[in-house]
Amino acid sequence: MKRAARLTRRSAAHPGSAARAGGADNLHDAHKALAAIVDGASDAVISINGDGLITLFNPAAERIFGHPAALMLGGPMDRLLPVAVRAGHPALISRFAQSGVTQRSMGVGRVQGLRADGRMLELEASISQAVANGQVALTAILRDVTERVAQERLIETARDELAQLNRRLLEQEKQTSRKLAQGLHDELGQTLAALRLHWEAYRGAPGAQRAGMDERITSLVVQANRQIRSVLSDLRPPLLDELGLAAALDNEIRQHHVEKDAAEVGLQTSAEARSQRWSADVEYATFMIAREALINALSHAAAHHIGVRLSGNAAGLELRVEDDGIGMATDTHVGRPGHLGLIGMRERAHAIGAALRIDGALGHGTTITLSWAQEACDAGEAPCAASRRPEGVPREGT
Ligand SMILES: Nc1ncnc2c1ncn2[C@@H]1O[C@H](COP(=O)(O)OP(=O)(O)OP(=O)(O)O)[C@@H](O)[C@H]1O
Ligand SMILES: [Mg+2]
């Protein structure tokens, strides 16, 4: 209301004849109405005079910038501007004042401001100028779009990450197909061709010459079987379908032990988790998350000990991969540009309706926790992939 009073006082300061008094009354009312509009506006309205000093700072400006009008009126705009643009601001203003243009958008329709608490503001802004009593007054109308801009940036980042992830998945699919084709053609194909030759030779050979040939045929059959298994294990994590998550994790950890013995890796599984089977989607996602977390801990953490823990039952499961290594800075928890492991882990968790948490800080190790609950899927609270194990899928020991 202070600003309304200022406008009103100025306009009432020049009384004249009765006619002029009537005109002055009208002007006075118009000023009052204008002041009420400015005070009630949800956008910041800030005016400066020809000397660059603030003459109007409405309540929305107080709320958006966090400065009281009493502090701002009569002073320069500096504290509302990011430090980097302060020096160039007077030149911009005087260029606009001399341009003769009455109204235009500021920046490319958006400028940055500085709040009293140091936070950066994103503002949609337009500026106008008017001359009254020979004095130029420049007025900026500023809308706070900080939240919206932050959301837009998040969406853009998520979109970029998904596009990258998609590219990686396509690349992996290409590599898998190439490997599969190679495995089938170069290995299995050769073995089967040799098997056919040996079998034909065996069939055509007189009984006395068959000795030893049957052994060679048996060994080729064993070799073909091994090659099929090797191709299959590239397509699905070994043991996951046959024996379940706990066994597949155990197998995975053993393989890393052989490859890299710098860190000691331990697996703890509850008895319930060892006999429990979850849907193929949930088991596969959990396995792949564990694999990435394990590889990350082995590659980045310089840990002495890495613990993998699996617990759960039909109602849900929890996987924890914990290391005592160098830890991660909290701003890395969302992932690093161009690195897709953590982002992929989140995507996999999201796809089965599970929650993924990353705990730890620099120097304090890292813990990745995946929590999945059947209930959330049943209640439709989460975007779950097929979360029930289809009928007829064998459990361990059946
Ligand atoms: N257990 C860990 N301990 C310490 N730092 C880690 C750990 N896990 C991840 N990091 C850090 O987080 C970063 C991001 O991990 P992320 O898995 O997303 O990518 P990456 O492993 O570098 O590459 P890739 O895309 O092949 O997975 C890593 O580069 C590493 O700096
Ligand atoms: Mg990784």
Side-chain angles (χ1 to χ4, degrees):
M1 285 301 127
K2 259 185 241 155
R3 264 75 56 210
R6 281 170 63 85
L7 288 170
T8 309
R9 263 201 308 278
R10 264 195 216 157
S11 62
H14 302 287
S17 66
R20 280 176 64 208
D25 279 350
N26 287 345
L27 200 57
H28 173 82
D29 287 347
H31 269 262
K32 256 172 88 175
L34 183 62
I37 291 169
V38 168
D39 279 1
S42 58
D43 293 344
V45 183
I46 302 172
S47 291
I48 55 172
N49 61 20
D51 299 325
L53 301 176
I54 296 174
T55 55
L56 175 67
F57 200 78
N58 75 340
E62 292 182 310
R63 180 174 46 75
I64 291 172
F65 286 93
H67 291 294
L71 179 77
M72 298 305 297
L73 286 169
M77 286 189 61
D78 282 12
R79 53 166 63 109
L80 308 179
L81 305 172
V83 178
V85 303
R86 277 182 199 164
H89 195 252
L92 276 180
I93 292 295
S94 84
R95 214 175 308 141
F96 176 66
Q98 286 158 21
S99 68
V101 176
T102 50
Q103 202 270 343
R104 70 166 170 79
S105 297
M106 291 167 73
V108 270
R110 203 185 275 168
V111 293
Q112 287 192 318
L114 188 63
R115 253 187 74 84
D117 59 13
R119 270 191 298 134
M120 205 62 101
L121 291 164
E122 298 289 341
L123 303 160
E124 271 177 6
S126 66
I127 185 167
S128 61
Q129 61 174 312
V131 180
N133 302 328
Q135 285 272 332
V136 178
L138 301 182
T139 301
I141 300 182
L142 304 146
R143 175 163 299 175
D144 182 6
V145 291
T146 312
E147 271 299 300
R148 200 185 77 203
V149 171
Q151 292 299 330
E152 282 170 4
R153 284 197 187 126
L154 277 182
I155 291 171
E156 215 170 287
T157 311
R159 215 180 277 146
D160 282 354
E161 287 172 356
L162 280 179
Q164 278 186 47
L165 205 56
N166 202 18
R167 277 199 294 278
R168 177 182 279 202
L169 286 177
L170 287 174
E171 188 49 39
Q172 279 173 350
E173 192 183 292
K174 246 190 335 198
Q175 278 177 9
T176 309
S177 318
R178 213 176 295 139
K179 217 167 149 192
L180 197 60
Q182 259 170 10
L184 291 176
H185 175 267
D186 300 350
E187 295 176 21
L188 190 60
Q190 304 297 327
T191 308
L192 289 178
L195 189 57
R196 210 181 102 215
L197 287 176
H198 277 78
W199 173 242
E200 277 168 9
Y202 179 83
R203 277 205 314 182
Q209 287 176 20
R210 285 185 171 184
M213 290 174 83
D214 54 346
E215 268 176 39
R216 176 69 189 134
I217 289 173
T218 307
S219 97
L220 283 169
V221 170
V222 169
Q223 188 174 320
N225 198 26
R226 207 173 41 237
Q227 287 164 342
I228 289 175
R229 285 202 152 272
S230 143
V231 166
L232 285 177
S233 77
D234 283 341
L235 293 179
R236 295 282 296 175
L239 304 184
L240 188 56
D241 287 337
E242 300 95 313
L243 298 181
L245 198 47
L249 286 174
D250 189 34
N251 183 55
E252 181 73 11
I253 288 170
R254 278 172 210 279
Q255 298 201 4
H256 287 295
H257 256 310
V258 174
E259 281 174 18
K260 212 162 184 167
D261 53 7
E264 179 204 350
V265 186
L267 174 69
Q268 273 182 28
T269 50
S270 65
E272 254 184 320
R274 280 196 294 279
S275 59
Q276 180 65 43
R277 295 302 307 262
W278 296 275
S279 81
D281 285 335
V282 169
E283 289 185 347
Y284 185 69
T286 306
F287 178 87
M288 296 305 275
I289 288 170
R291 175 183 269 177
E292 175 64 29
L294 186 58
I295 291 173
N296 273 355
L298 286 165
S299 333
H300 307 303
H304 296 296
H305 183 81
I306 302 167
V308 181
R309 251 188 283 168
L310 177 73
S311 58
N313 49 37
L317 68 78
E318 185 180 272
L319 168 83
R320 278 165 78 95
V321 181
E322 196 170 357
D323 69 63
D324 60 359
I326 58 169
M328 290 164 67
T330 22
D331 59 357
T332 314
H333 289 189
V334 288
R336 280 173 59 191
H339 299 245
L340 297 173
L342 295 175
I343 296 164
M345 276 157 78
R346 283 215 172 76
E347 285 301 313
R348 286 190 195 281
H350 180 73
I352 57 165
L356 187 88
R357 238 185 45 218
I358 301 177
D359 293 303
L362 276 180
H364 296 281
T366 303
T367 304
I368 308 279
T369 310
L370 177 82
S371 316
W372 173 82
Q374 178 69 55
E375 205 179 28
C377 290
D378 290 346
E381 288 164 17
C384 302
S387 60
R388 288 236 173 259
R389 200 159 181 81
E391 290 299 316
V393 173
R395 285 169 178 265
E396 191 182 16
T398 60

